[in-house]
Amino acid sequence: MTNDISRLIKDAWNKGDPTGWFEQVYARAESGEGVIPWAYMQPNPHLVEWLERKHLLVRHKQALVIGCGLGDDAEALAKLGFGVTAFDIAETAIRRCKERFPDSMVEYRVANLLAPPDAWGKKFDFVLECRTIQSLPYTLFEQATGAIAGFVAAEGSLLVMCAGREPDQERRGIPWPLSRVELDVMKTHGLTEKHFEEFIERGARQFRVEYQRTA
């Protein structure tokens, strides 16, 4: 991340508003004063590869994209045939999604992971989480992971894609890397780990983990 974004994060956290910096990043980028370093304007290739390998049965299935950004991952899921809901806390991000994909079937929503709609509880057959947890203070880890797991329907799946680290390594930076020990918290929220992968991207460890809620 740039020093400019790091400063926005620090200021927001110091003000007790740990999610306030997201809107600032999108608004500054729209005005030409900054960039969105995580916006590649195409679906995440690690999501695409996983979807191609899984051959999911998606008819009549509902998917949720957490922290959807500019919408590329949500559109990839919709193209497969999921009914997709995608949300972000940044109003500018959601407006940009609707502008980029004016004919989209995705339901784009402004929403807060830390205070999600009650109607989303155990509603979704597939939930995608990519680095949102890691962009929040560690003090919110339990709340964030509990909310994410809570979206997963009976027999539904959660895919977590994140930067990874060893349990004894320090949590540093944004997004701060997760350890397998921390990821095990999903099991306390009623999910079972179905598959774990580790790979290297640009010299850094990455995890891709699939969970499922039993019926």
Side-chain angles (χ1 to χ4, degrees), residues 9-213:
I9 295 170
K10 183 177 180 180
D11 289 346
W13 287 17
N14 288 339
K15 293 175 183 176
D17 183 17
T19 60
W21 62 275
F22 291 104
E23 171 59 27
Q24 295 180 64
V25 170
Y26 285 101
R28 287 163 65 91
E30 187 171 51
S31 67
E33 298 176 15
V35 297
I36 307 167
W38 56 83
Y40 298 114
M41 312 305 283
Q42 63 182 10
N44 187 311
H46 302 301
L47 170 64
V48 172
E49 189 274 333
W50 185 85
L51 291 171
E52 289 175 347
R53 175 155 44 95
K54 293 293 289 187
H55 299 293
L56 299 177
L57 298 176
V58 303
R59 184 173 177 150
H60 305 307
K61 301 290 187 180
Q62 296 296 312
L64 179 69
V65 179
I66 296 166
C68 66
L70 297 183
D72 294 284
D73 291 344
E75 294 298 322
L77 292 171
K79 186 176 180 180
L80 277 183
F82 278 109
V84 181
T85 300
F87 76 93
D88 203 287
I89 198 167
E91 293 184 11
T92 299
I94 294 302
R95 178 168 49 77
R96 286 284 308 279
C97 288
K98 294 177 179 179
E99 291 171 354
R100 291 186 68 208
F101 307 107
D103 299 320
S104 176
M105 298 298 291
V106 176
E107 179 187 1
Y108 288 107
R109 294 269 304 268
V110 176
N112 185 347
L113 172 62
L114 303 176
D118 291 339
W120 289 359
K122 296 184 179 179
K123 175 181 178 180
F124 297 96
D125 304 291
F126 178 74
V127 177
L128 174 64
E129 152 57 12
C130 182
R131 299 179 185 261
T132 308
I133 298 168
Q134 304 176 274
S135 299
L136 298 170
Y138 187 72
T139 53
L140 297 173
F141 177 76
E142 287 284 347
Q143 184 180 355
T145 54
I148 290 167
F151 298 137
V152 182
E155 299 186 356
S157 298
L158 164 66
L159 181 65
V160 175
M161 299 192 297
C162 63
R165 74 175 209 287
E166 290 298 316
D168 58 351
Q169 290 180 311
E170 185 179 0
R171 293 184 292 267
R172 298 184 61 184
I174 296 292
W176 50 272
L178 292 171
S179 71
R180 291 200 69 175
V181 171
E182 286 161 329
L183 286 167
D184 277 347
V185 74
M186 293 299 181
K187 299 175 184 178
T188 71
H189 296 310
L191 304 182
T192 301
E193 183 183 300
K194 301 297 289 184
H195 187 71
F196 175 89
E197 295 176 77
E198 178 177 345
F199 55 93
I200 301 297
E201 181 180 47
R202 298 177 184 176
R205 296 175 71 186
Q206 306 293 321
F207 296 160
R208 182 167 54 185
V209 195
E210 181 185 0
Y211 301 90
Q212 186 175 48
R213 186 184 300 283

